[in-house]
Structures are given as structure tokens and as C-alpha cells.
Amino acid sequence: MNNSLVKKAENLLSKCNVCTVASVSENGYPRICVLMPLRTIGIKEFWFSTGASETKVRHFKNNRKSGVTFYDGGDSVTLTGIWKSYPIKA
């Protein structure tokens, strides 16, 4: 991967307050929602918070393919990958 491009992407991610996350519905269609990133580790790991009964959680249990777009002004970074869930007990 181009190191210059990775650095630009990491810089953009550090400035973003919201992002879009895409899941795949039971019918095979993309579903996009807006979330606030809690934490990012480079461009490979992102942490979000959502309720365990949310629609997107059900989608990710059925199909772990996902997409995330971070944006700031006219700049954006879109990445695809596999969703991993880490439940936190209250």
C-alpha cells in the first residue's frame, strides 16, 4: 500500500467527527447509517458504539462485510472489510 496515501488517510481520519457505516440487509441491499467513531487505530481498526438490538448489528451477525467512509469537507476515505463485534457488558 502507498505509504503517502496511508498517511493522508490517517490524517483525515483523525479529523473526522462522524462517518458512514454500511451493512448488508437480509435482502442483500446496502444500508448506510451515520455513526461517531470512538477510536481509530491507523486505517485498519475502527471502534463504534451502538445498541445490541440495532438493525445494523443484526445485519453484521448475518453478513460481516462492511464499508466505512470518513469525510471532512470535500475529502473522504472509503474502506471495506469485515466487521468484528466486541460486546461490552455494563
Side-chain angles (χ1 to χ4, degrees):
M1 190 176 292
N2 181 320
N3 283 340
S4 174
L5 186 58
V6 169
K7 291 292 181 196
K8 287 179 182 178
E10 288 174 342
N11 184 48
L12 176 65
L13 298 180
S14 71
K15 297 188 283 184
C16 294
N17 294 322
V18 295
C19 62
T20 60
V21 175
S23 60
V24 179
S25 75
E26 296 88 345
N27 297 320
Y29 291 98
R31 179 176 182 270
I32 314 263
C33 61
V34 176
L35 293 174
M36 291 176 30
L38 299 177
R39 178 179 180 202
T40 62
I41 300 173
I43 61 168
K44 294 187 176 195
E45 192 170 320
F46 311 99
W47 293 72
F48 304 100
S49 177
T50 189
S53 62
E54 295 291 331
T55 300
K56 65 187 137 312
V57 173
R58 186 177 72 246
H59 289 172
F60 288 127
K61 285 181 179 178
N62 292 326
N63 184 337
R64 294 180 42 222
K65 293 179 182 176
S66 61
V68 61
T69 299
F70 290 84
Y71 53 92
D72 183 53
D75 295 327
S76 66
V77 173
T78 299
L79 304 164
T80 58
I82 301 298
W83 182 276
K84 292 183 183 178
S85 178
Y86 299 97
I88 298 173
K89 296 180 181 178

